[in-house]
Amino acid sequence: MAQRRGIPIILSSPSGAGKSTLAGRLMAWDPTLSFSISATTRAPRSGEVDGREYYFRTKDQFQQMVDDGEMLEHAEVFGNFYGSPMAPVERALVEGRDVIFDIDWQGGQQVRNSTLSDDFVSIFILPPSIAELEKRLRSRGQDSDDVIADRMTKSRDEISHWAEYDYCVVNTDVDQTEAQLKAILSAERLRRTRQTGLVQFVRELNAEFEGRQS
């Protein structure tokens, strides 16, 4: 059976459009999926654990990781820094495990310009409307009015980058969107160029033909 290289899957959206929920659903559907845990300089929220939701680092520690070339991508968002450590991602891809990135368009651009440029699949999640986007942000009950206003302002810039992605999905219904993401991933896994063991597999098939003819 042919083996394949893992896929880095970039999920981006304006805050509140559902990418984190959808990433969680994909991982529940396929437990072999890995999640790229980001490093961040923001303070942990209630219930968050270092190394599970994020690697929580000081600004000096974060900058040192960047200087040492340990980040696949990084960006400043709302006054805090976020980034994806490179080593665990590359290890997972070599082992044939797909990795989900829950990152913004800035991070997506950096990944596309990295050593993973030939591997990635990028998906942008759009909200059904701007009114619904704000409703979802408020329903989370995590942010002040000022923070929500900042997120809504930033969402316009985020959405302007939709055309840079391989796929765009409108998240009107989360179940339907989940099904669409599964279809995308299932098809991408079958790309000939991803199946690193396919050449040898076909050679073995041809050897069987030769054996039948002898």
Side-chain angles (χ1 to χ4, degrees):
M1 183 175 180
Q3 301 298 311
R4 68 177 179 86
R5 179 173 168 80
I7 307 171
I9 306 156
I10 300 171
L11 287 183
S12 299
S13 75
S15 182
K19 66 180 182 297
S20 296
T21 297
L22 289 163
R25 285 188 172 217
L26 285 177
M27 294 181 69
W29 166 64
D30 183 351
T32 67
L33 283 167
S34 298
F35 188 78
S36 177
I37 300 175
S38 297
T40 182
T41 60
R42 77 159 171 79
R45 292 172 180 161
S46 177
E48 290 183 332
V49 177
D50 181 55
R52 187 179 67 188
E53 284 80 15
Y54 290 95
Y55 298 113
F56 295 101
R57 299 293 182 264
T58 65
K59 287 188 176 181
D60 288 343
Q61 290 172 331
F62 190 97
Q63 186 59 52
Q64 189 63 54
M65 294 177 73
V66 172
D67 293 343
D68 292 342
E70 297 177 8
M71 289 294 190
L72 185 59
E73 58 81 25
H74 64 280
E76 183 178 3
V77 182
F78 298 117
N80 293 302
F81 291 93
Y82 295 81
S84 302
M86 183 180 300
V89 172
E90 291 188 333
R91 183 166 56 250
L93 298 182
V94 169
E95 293 172 353
R97 293 184 287 116
D98 303 329
V99 181
I100 296 177
F101 290 79
D102 178 353
I103 54 180
D104 66 7
W105 68 269
Q106 292 172 297
Q109 283 187 342
Q110 291 182 56
V111 173
R112 286 194 290 271
N113 292 325
S114 74
T115 56
L116 302 182
S117 59
D118 293 334
D119 292 319
F120 77 90
V121 172
S122 59
I123 307 169
F124 197 89
I125 310 297
L126 289 164
S129 69
I130 300 306
E132 177 63 20
L133 182 66
E134 182 173 5
K135 178 182 176 182
R136 291 176 184 178
L137 284 173
R138 293 191 179 281
S139 69
R140 297 193 305 196
Q142 295 178 341
D143 301 312
S144 67
D145 288 343
D146 288 343
V147 171
I148 289 174
D150 287 341
R151 292 187 185 279
M152 290 301 297
T153 298
K154 188 173 182 293
S155 69
R156 184 170 188 173
D157 181 48
E158 289 276 355
I159 291 173
S160 72
H161 293 273
W162 68 273
E164 299 171 14
Y165 288 73
D166 297 321
Y167 300 92
C168 280
V169 180
V170 179
N171 187 21
T172 301
D173 176 82
V174 70
D175 292 331
Q176 180 182 24
T177 303
E178 178 186 355
Q180 291 171 332
L181 296 183
K182 289 177 182 177
I184 291 170
L185 181 53
S186 295
E188 288 289 343
R189 285 173 167 175
L190 292 173
R191 279 188 182 270
R192 175 180 54 80
T193 53
R194 298 194 194 283
Q195 300 186 59
T196 56
L198 193 57
V199 171
Q200 181 59 35
F201 182 73
V202 173
R203 285 174 180 166
E204 292 171 359
L205 291 179
N206 286 329
E208 287 189 52
F209 275 124
E210 292 172 3
R212 292 168 63 92
Q213 294 170 357
S214 61

